[in-house]
C-alpha cells in the first residue's frame, strides 16, 4: 500500500513507530496529486511548499516525542475556510484573489494539532450547488467515474479523499454539502450539530445552517478529526459551550438494543432502486448487530426543500452583500459611477446559480413578501425540528439514504435547478433542525458507483453517531475498493 | 385654517464604550483612517460578530433614565442596503423586538412641564465615513467609525413646536451626558438628530403626510430647520397643495430644507433576524444592578439644589448644566458652607473665565478648595469683595491658592482698629474744612473721608471698619 492510501490512524501508528515520516507521507500525497489531479481536479489551490515545510516541522516534533492528534497528517481544506496568507476563493470569481489576513478557527485547531495542509479544495461557488459544477475554477470529477460529478458543494474535498489526494479533508454542509458528496464518492462525511464546530472564518452561505465537518476514509478517522475541530469558540456567538467528549471512546462498541428509526417519508418514489436496495441492506446489518429497527414519522419532510430554499437564499443574499467591489476581491473597472460599479462587479463576479439564489432571497425578504415567505418558512422550520425531537423520543438514531441516486453525469442537471436541488432531499432537514448527521459507504451499484447511508441523531449526539457508524462499518464489511485512476 | 405641527425625533447617540459593538477595536475619534479596524468591522468573509455587553448596559442606563419598559429578550436584525461606508452590505440593528419601549421624559416649556413619550430605544452599529477627493474623481472610505455602538431613541409624535423639539433634544442630550454614556458632541457626530414633521388642522386627530428632516448638526439648526419646515408645509397646504412624503436635507447656509433625490431613499431594507447573533436576555437582576448605579439625573439635581441650597431655579439650572459643573459647585459648597455665595462666584467669575477661553469646568485652574478658601477669607473679613475679584482672577491665571496670592500681592485687609484709627485721625487733621462741613450737617462729605482713608491705606482697609470708626471719630 502506498502511504497516501492509508488512513489517519494507520499513518499515526507508523509515525509513532518511526516507520515513516510526515515528509514521506506528504511527498506521497503530492505524488498522487501529480498523477491524478489533472483528471480529478479536486483542488483550486495547492500549497506544496508550505505543506513540505509543515511536514519537516512535524517530523522534528515527532523526533522530540511531541506527537499531537494529527501531527504530520495531510488534511485538505475546502476553499471556504479562510487561510491566513493563502487565497480563499469560495469557488467564486469575486474572491478570485482574496487573501485573508486571518485563519478560520478550524484551521487554527488543525494547525495546533500538527496537521499539514496540502491545499484548498474545489467547491460549488459559495457552496451553492450539489455537483461542484458551479465553481468558477472548473468542474471536479468523481474519481469512481470521471464522467460523473463528485457531488457538492464540497465535491473537491470528497473527491480528494476518495482519490487519495489527501488523507482527510474538511468540508462545509449547509443542506448536505458534506454528506451528499461523501456518499457519491464513497467516503465518510459528518455534519456536526449546529454550534459544535466553530464557523469563525468559514465564508458564510446561510449562517443558521452552515457547519464544518470532516471527510475521512473511515469512521475512526472521523472521530479523530472531530476530536480536534469540535468545541466552543468565543469568536462565534452561536457556538455552544457544550463539553466535547473523546469521540474515539465510541469506536468499536456494540449497538445491541439500539432503536433505529426508519422514517417512512424517506423511502419515496423516485429513489434509485439500487440505492434503495443498498440502504435496505444496511437495515439488515443493523438488526444483525442487535439493533431494533422501527418505523418513525417525520411528517413535515415534504416541506423541507421549500423551507430550505427560502431560508438559505434569504440569509445568503444578505451574507453575499459584502462582495461589492469596494474593499477586496474582484471589481469591475467598467462602472462609471458607484451604482454601475456595484452592478457590473456583481454581474461579472458571481455565477448564475449564486445570482439565482440572491434573487430568490431578496424576493423572500422583500417588504410585503416577508411574512408569506421568510416568516412562514421559519415557522415551518420549527415544526421540522419538532418532528425530529419527537422521533428521537422513540429511537436512538435515524437511518435514511444519503442521496436519492448515485452520482449523475457532468452536465446532466445543470439546466434543471429543481432536479439539482432534489439531490439534497434527504440531507436538508438535518441542517434545518440543527442536528448531526453522518454518511458512510454502504455498497456499490452494478456500475460500480458508491452508495451512502445516512445516520442522524439528536443535538450533540455525534458520539452516538460514531458508535453506530463504527459498529455498522464493522458488521457490514463493505468490500474495500479503490477507484481506478 | 390653523395648522398644528406634529413632530417626532429620532436621535442617534454614539456610546462611550472603549470597544466597538461587535469586535474589540477602539472607538476613539480622530485616529488616522482605517487604523481602528479589524477583519470583523471590515466585513471580511467568514468573520462573525460578538456582542459587547457594555453596549447593552449603556442602553439599559438610558432606558431607565427615560422611564422605558425593558423587554426581557431582544434580537438583532440586519438592515440590508448597499453603500461603500457599510462594509457588510447590511447594518446590524434592532427591528421587530426592541429592548426598550414606552418611556417618557418631562421637558420645561414656558414655565410649565410637558411629557414627551419615547416609542423605543434600540442598539445598532455605526457606519464608516466617505471622503471625496476634491481634485480627482475619487472617493475614499474610512472605516474607523464602522461598528462604533449607537443607541437610537425614537420619540412619540408628541412634539408640537420647534421650541419643544429643542427642549426635548436638550433634555435627552444632558441625560446621555450625565449618564456618562455619550459625549454629546454634535459637531463630531456623536449625537445626531433626524426629525419627522407633519401638519394637521388644529383640533383634528389624523396625522398629515410627513417629511423627514436630516443633516441638522446643532441644537440651533434643529430648531431653525423645524421652524422653516413648518412654515414650508403650511405654505404648501394653504396654497391647496399636498406635502410629499420624502427626506429633506437642512441647508444651514441657505436656511432652507430641500428634497433629497428620490432614488437615494427608495430602500427596502429587507430586515430579518441576524442569524449570527443570539437573543439578548435582560434579566431583573441586571436591571436592578444598573438601576442602583445610576447617577442623579439633571432634573432631580436641579430640584434638590433649589430645595437644599435655597438658590434660585435659574441658578440651579446653570449649575447643573453638566455633571462636572454641578460636582464642582457642590464641592465648593461643602468646603465653604456658603451655597448662595458659592453659586454667585461659580456662575460669575469662574464660568466667565472659562467661557472666555472656551474651557470646560474640568480644566478649571481654580480648584473647589481654592474657591471655597477665598469665600471663607471674604466671610472672615480678611479680604474685601473687591480684593476677591483680584484674587479670583489671579487664581485662575496662576492656579495658586488664595492665601499665596494674598501674601504675594500684600492684599490683606487692615482690620487692626488702632492702626486704622491712627490713619483716620491723620485724615481728619488734614481736612479741617470738610470736617466742619460734615459736622455742620452735610453728610455727603462722609464719602470723601472714606475715599481719603482708602487712599491712605491703599485700599486694604476693611470698609465696614472704616465706616464705623469714621462715624465715631467725626462725631468727635
Amino acid at each position: 500500500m502506498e502511504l497516501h492510501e492509508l488512513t489517519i490512524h494507520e499513518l499515526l501508528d507508523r509515525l509513532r513507530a518511526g516507520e515513516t515520516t510526515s515528509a514521506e507521507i506528504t511527498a506521497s500525497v503530492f505524488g498522487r496529486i501529480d498523477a491524478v489531479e489533472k483528471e480529478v481536479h479536486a483542488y483550486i489551490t495547492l500549497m506544496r511548499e508550505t505543506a513540505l515545510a509543515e511536514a519537516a516541522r512535524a517530523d522534528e516534533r515527532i523526533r522530540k516525542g511531541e506527537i499531537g492528534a494529527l501531527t504530520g497528517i495531510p488534511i485538505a481544506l475546502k476553499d471556504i475556510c479562510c487561510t491566513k496568507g493563502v487565497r480563499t476563493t469560495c469557488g467564486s470569481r469575486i474572491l478570485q484573489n482574496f487573501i485573508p489576513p486571518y485563519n478560520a478557527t478550524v484551521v487554527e485547531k488543525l494547525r495546533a494539532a500538527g496537521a499539514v495542509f496540502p491545499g484548498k479544495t474545489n467547491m460549488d461557488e459559495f457552496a451553492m450547488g450539489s455537483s461542484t459544477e458551479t465553481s468558477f475554477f472548473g468542474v471536479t470529477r468523481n474519481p469512481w467515474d470521471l464522467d460523473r460529478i463528485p457531488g457538492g458543494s464540497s465535491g473537491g474535498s470528497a473527491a480528494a479523499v476518495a482519490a487519495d489526494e489527501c488523507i482527510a479533508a474538511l468540508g462545509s454542509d449547509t443542506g448536505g454539502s458534506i454528506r451528499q458528496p461523501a456518499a457519491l464518492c464513497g467516503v465518510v462525511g459528518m455534519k456536526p450539530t449546529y454550534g459544535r464546530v466553530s464557523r469563525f472564518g468559514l465564508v458564510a452561505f446561510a449562517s443558521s445552517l452552515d457547519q464544518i465537518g470532516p471527510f475521512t476514509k473511515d469512521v475512526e478517522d472521523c472521530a479523530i478529526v472531530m476530536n480536534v475541530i469540535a468545541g466552543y469558540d468565543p469568536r462565534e456567538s452561536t457556538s455552544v459551550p457544550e463539553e466535547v467528549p473523546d469521540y474515539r471512546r465510541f469506536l468499536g462498541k456494540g449497538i445491541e438494543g439500539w432503536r433505529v428509526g426508519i422514517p417512512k417519508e424517506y423511502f419515496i418514489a423516485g429513489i434509485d432502486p439500487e440505492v434503495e436496495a443498498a440502504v435496505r441492506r444496511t437495515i439488515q446489518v443493523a438488526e444483525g448487530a442487535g439493533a431494533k429497527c422501527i418505523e418513525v414519522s417525520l411528517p413535515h419532510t415534504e416541506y423541507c426543500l421549500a423551507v430550505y430554499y427560502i431560508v438559505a437564499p434569504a440569509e445568503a443574499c444578505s451574507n453575499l452583500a459584502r462582495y461589492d467591489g469596494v474593499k477586496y476581491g474582484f471589481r469591475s473597472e467598467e462602472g462609471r459611477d458607484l451604482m454601475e460599479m456595484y452592478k457590473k462587479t456583481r454581474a461579472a463576479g458571481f455565477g448564475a446559480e449564486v445570482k439565482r439564489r440572491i434573487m430568490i432571497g431578496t424576493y423572500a425578504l422583500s417588504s410585503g413578501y416577508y411574512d408569506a415567505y421568510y416568516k412562514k418558512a421559519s415557522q415551518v422550520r420549527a415544526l421540522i425540528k419538532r418532528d425530529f425531537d419527537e422521533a428521537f423520543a422513540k429511537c436512538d438514531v435515524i437511518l435514511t439514504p444519503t442521496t436519492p441516486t448515485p452520482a449523475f453525469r457532468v452536465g446532466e442537471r445543470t439546466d434543471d435547478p429543481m432536479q439539482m436541488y432534489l439531490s439534497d432531499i434527504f440531507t436538508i432537514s438535518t441542517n434545518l433542525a440543527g442536528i448531526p448527521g453522518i454518511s458512510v459507504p454502504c455498497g456499490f451499484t452494478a456500475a460500480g458507483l458508491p452508495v451512502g447511508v445516512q445516520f442522524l441523531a439528536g443535538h450533540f449526539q455525534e458520539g452516538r453517531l460514531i458508535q453506530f457508524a463504527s459498529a455498522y462499518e464493522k458488521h457490514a464489511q463493505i468490500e474495500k475498493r479503490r477507484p481506478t485512476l | 385654517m390653523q395648522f398644528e405641527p406634529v413632530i417626532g425625533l429620532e436621535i442617534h447617540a454614539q456610546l462611550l464604550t472603549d470597544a466597538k459593538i461587535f469586535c474589540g477595536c477602539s472607538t476613539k475619534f480622530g485616529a488616522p483612517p482605517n487604523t481602528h479596524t479589524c477583519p470583523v468591522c471590515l466585513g471580511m468573509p467568514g468573520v462573525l460578530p460578538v456582542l459587547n455587553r457594555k453596549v447593552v448596559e449603556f442602553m439599559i442606563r438610558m432606558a431607565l433614565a427615560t422611564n422605558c419598559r425593558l423587554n426581557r429578550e431582544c434580537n438583532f436584525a440586519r438592515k440590508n442596503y448597499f453603500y461603500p461606508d457599510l462594509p457588510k452590505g447590511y447594518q446590524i440593528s434592532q427591528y421587530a423586538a426592541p429592548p426598550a419601549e414606552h418611556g417618557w421624559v418631562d421637558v420645561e416649556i414656558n414655565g410649565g412641564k410637558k411629557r414627551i413619550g419615547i416609542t423605543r430605544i434600540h442598539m445598532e452599529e455605526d457606519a464608516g465615513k466617505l471622503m471625496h477627493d476634491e481634485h480627482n474623481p475619487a472617493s475614499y472610505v474610512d472605516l474607523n467609525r464602522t461598528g462604533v455602538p449607537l443607541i437610537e431613541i425614537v420619540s412619540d409624535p408628541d412634539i408640537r413646536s420647534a421650541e419643544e423639539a429643542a427642549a426635548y433634544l436638550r433634555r435627552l442630550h444632558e441625560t446621555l451626558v450625565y449618564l456618562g454614556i455619550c459625549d454629546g458632541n454634535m459637531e463630531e457626530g456623536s449625537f445626531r438628530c433626524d426629525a419627522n414633521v407633519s401638519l394637521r388642522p388644529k383640533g383634528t386627530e389624523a396625522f398629515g403626510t410627513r417629511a423627514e428632516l436630516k443633516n441638522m448638526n446643532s441644537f440651533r439648526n434643529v430648531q431653525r430647520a423645524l421652524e422653516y419646515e413648518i412654515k414650508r408645509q403650511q405654505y404648501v397646504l394653504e396654497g391647496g397643495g399636498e406635502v410629499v412624503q420624502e427626506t429633506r436635507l437642512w441647508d444651514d447656509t441657505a436656511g432652507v430644507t430641500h428634497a433629497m433625490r428620490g432614488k437615494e431613499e427608495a430602500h427596502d431594507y429587507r430586515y430579518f433576524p441576524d442569524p449570527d447573533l443570539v437573543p439578548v436576555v435582560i434579566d431583573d437582576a441586571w436591571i436592578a444592578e444598573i438601576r442602583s448605579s445610576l447617577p442623579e439625573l439633571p432634573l432631580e439635581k436641579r430640584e434638590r439644589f433649589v430645595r437644599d441650597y435655597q438658590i434660585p431655579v435659574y441658578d440651579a439650572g446653570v449649575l447643573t448644566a453638566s455633571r462636572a459643573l454641578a460636582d464642582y459647585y457642590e464641592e465648593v459648597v461643602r468646603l465653604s458652607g456658603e451655597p448662595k455665595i458659592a453659586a454667585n462666584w461659580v456662575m460669575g467669575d469662574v464660568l466667565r473665565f472659562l467661557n472666555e477661553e472656551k474651557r470646560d469646568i474640568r480644566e478649571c485652574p481654580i480648584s473647589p478648595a481654592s474657591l471655597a478658601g477665598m469665600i471663607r477669607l471674604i466671610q472672615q473679613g480678611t479680604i474685601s469683595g473687591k480684593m476677591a475679584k483680584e484674587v479670583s482672577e489671579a487664581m485662575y491665571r496662576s492656579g495658586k491658592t488664595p492665601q499665596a496670592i494674598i501674601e504675594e500681592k500684600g492684599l490683606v485687609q487692615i482690620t487692626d482698629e488702632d492702626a486704622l484709627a491712627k490713619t483716620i485721625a491723620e485724615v481728619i487733621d488734614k481736612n479741617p474744612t470738610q470736617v466742619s462741613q460734615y459736622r455742620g450737617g452735610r453728610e455727603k462729605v462722609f464719602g470723601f473721608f472714606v475715599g481719603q482713608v482708602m487712599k491712605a491705606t491703599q485700599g486694604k482697609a476693611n470698609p465696614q471698619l472704616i465706616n464705623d470708626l469714621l462715624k465715631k471719630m467725626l462725631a468727635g
Side-chain angles (χ1 to χ4, degrees), chain A residues 102 201 237 318-319 322 327-328 367, chain B residues 43-46 49 78 80 87 268:
Chain A
Y102 48 92
S237 307
S318 176
N319 283 332
R322 68 189 63 196
K327 309 160 295 278
Y328 47 75
S367 155
Chain B
M44 287 197 153
R78 294 184 182 179
N80 295 284
D268 177 353

Side-chain angles (χ1 to χ4, degrees), chain B residues 18 25 57 61 75 78 110 142 145-146 168 212 218 254 261 343 358 374 406 417 456 471 473:
Chain B
D18 295 330
C25 288
E57 186 195 316
R61 280 197 213 174
N75 280 318
R78 294 184 182 179
N110 303 326
D142 175 8
R145 202 177 69 177
T146 307
Y168 167 78
E212 191 185 356
S218 69
R261 277 185 295 133
K358 294 203 185 325
M374 192 189 82
I406 287 167
E417 268 192 51
K471 268 192 188 138
M473 292 170 73

Side-chain angles (χ1 to χ4, degrees), chain B residues 335-409:
Chain B
L335 295 170
S336 67
E338 296 284 350
K340 284 185 192 175
I341 297 172
N344 289 338
W345 281 99
V346 173
M347 290 168 61
D349 281 21
V350 171
L351 284 186
R352 183 167 54 80
F353 296 146
L354 291 170
N355 288 342
E356 278 167 5
E357 297 184 5
K358 294 203 185 325
R359 287 168 86 173
D360 187 87
I361 186 71
R362 281 166 295 194
E363 307 166 288
C364 183
I366 306 176
S367 70
S370 290
L371 189 60
M374 192 189 82
I375 292 168
R376 276 199 313 272
L377 291 171
I378 302 168
Q379 296 306 95
Q380 290 159 3
T382 310
I383 55 171
S384 65
K386 197 170 163 227
M387 284 175 190
K389 285 267 175 204
E390 206 180 325
V391 173
S392 69
E393 170 114 31
M395 288 197 298
Y396 185 80
R397 303 290 161 223
S398 67
K400 290 180 183 164
T401 64
Q403 295 292 356
I405 288 161
I406 287 167
E407 277 168 33
E408 235 170 63
K409 301 202 174 212

Side-chain angles (χ1 to χ4, degrees), chain B residues 134-419:
Chain B
E134 285 171 26
H135 309 290
N136 295 296
S139 294
Y140 302 91
V141 63
D142 175 8
L143 299 175
N144 282 347
R145 202 177 69 177
T146 307
V148 168
L150 296 174
I151 49 174
E152 180 174 323
I153 307 158
V154 182
S155 85
D156 290 338
D158 290 348
I159 300 166
R160 294 288 171 269
S161 69
E163 194 194 352
E164 281 182 25
Y168 167 78
L169 201 58
R170 286 205 167 83
R171 167 54 37 81
L172 286 199
H173 183 269
E174 75 181 1
T175 305
L176 286 162
V177 174
Y178 253 75
L179 293 171
I181 61 174
C182 174
D183 68 17
N185 191 324
M186 285 182 94
E187 275 168 31
E188 286 174 7
S190 37
F191 182 82
R192 311 195 277 264
C193 174
D194 300 333
N196 285 306
V197 196
S198 63
L199 297 190
R200 65 182 173 196
K202 221 178 163 94
T204 62
E205 285 290 314
F207 295 138
T209 308
R210 66 191 158 83
E212 191 185 356
L213 300 189
K214 286 180 179 287
N215 198 35
M216 306 168 287
N217 59 357
S218 69
F219 291 111
R220 206 173 90 86
N221 277 335
V222 171
Q223 194 161 347
R224 283 175 69 207
L226 286 169
E227 279 162 2
Y228 173 86
E229 182 62 19
I230 291 165
K231 279 197 196 122
R232 186 191 71 85
Q233 290 189 14
Q234 192 168 346
Y235 180 79
V236 170
L237 294 170
E238 280 171 353
E242 280 183 4
V243 172
V244 182
Q245 184 168 342
E246 61 189 355
T247 301
R248 300 181 65 85
L249 297 180
W250 168 246
D251 181 338
D252 180 24
T253 324
V256 299
T257 64
H258 54 76
M260 228 161 101
R261 277 185 295 133
K263 219 167 90 180
E264 292 170 33
E265 51 160 332
H267 286 309
D268 177 353
Y269 291 121
R270 291 172 284 129
Y271 282 101
F272 75 107
D274 191 327
D276 285 331
L277 289 157
V278 290
V280 183
V281 175
I282 298 170
D283 59 25
D284 292 343
W286 199 13
I287 295 172
E289 187 193 322
I290 293 169
R291 196 189 292 279
S292 71
S293 73
L294 282 188
E296 188 181 29
L297 291 170
L299 199 60
E300 301 163 22
K301 205 183 272 284
R302 217 159 285 161
E303 286 167 0
R304 179 171 60 85
F305 278 18
V306 171
R307 193 176 60 237
D308 293 0
Y309 298 141
Q310 303 278 307
I311 57 175
V313 174
Y314 174 81
D315 292 11
V318 173
L319 291 169
T320 54
S322 79
R323 211 162 120 187
L325 180 61
D327 289 349
Y328 182 96
Y329 166 69
E330 287 207 274
E331 184 66 3
V332 178
V333 173
R334 192 179 68 82
L335 295 170
S336 67
E338 296 284 350
K340 284 185 192 175
I341 297 172
N344 289 338
W345 281 99
V346 173
M347 290 168 61
D349 281 21
V350 171
L351 284 186
R352 183 167 54 80
F353 296 146
L354 291 170
N355 288 342
E356 278 167 5
E357 297 184 5
K358 294 203 185 325
R359 287 168 86 173
D360 187 87
I361 186 71
R362 281 166 295 194
E363 307 166 288
C364 183
I366 306 176
S367 70
S370 290
L371 189 60
M374 192 189 82
I375 292 168
R376 276 199 313 272
L377 291 171
I378 302 168
Q379 296 306 95
Q380 290 159 3
T382 310
I383 55 171
S384 65
K386 197 170 163 227
M387 284 175 190
K389 285 267 175 204
E390 206 180 325
V391 173
S392 69
E393 170 114 31
M395 288 197 298
Y396 185 80
R397 303 290 161 223
S398 67
K400 290 180 183 164
T401 64
Q403 295 292 356
I405 288 161
I406 287 167
E407 277 168 33
E408 235 170 63
K409 301 202 174 212
L411 280 177
V412 179
Q413 193 163 243
I414 297 168
T415 50
D416 178 344
E417 268 192 51
D418 293 343

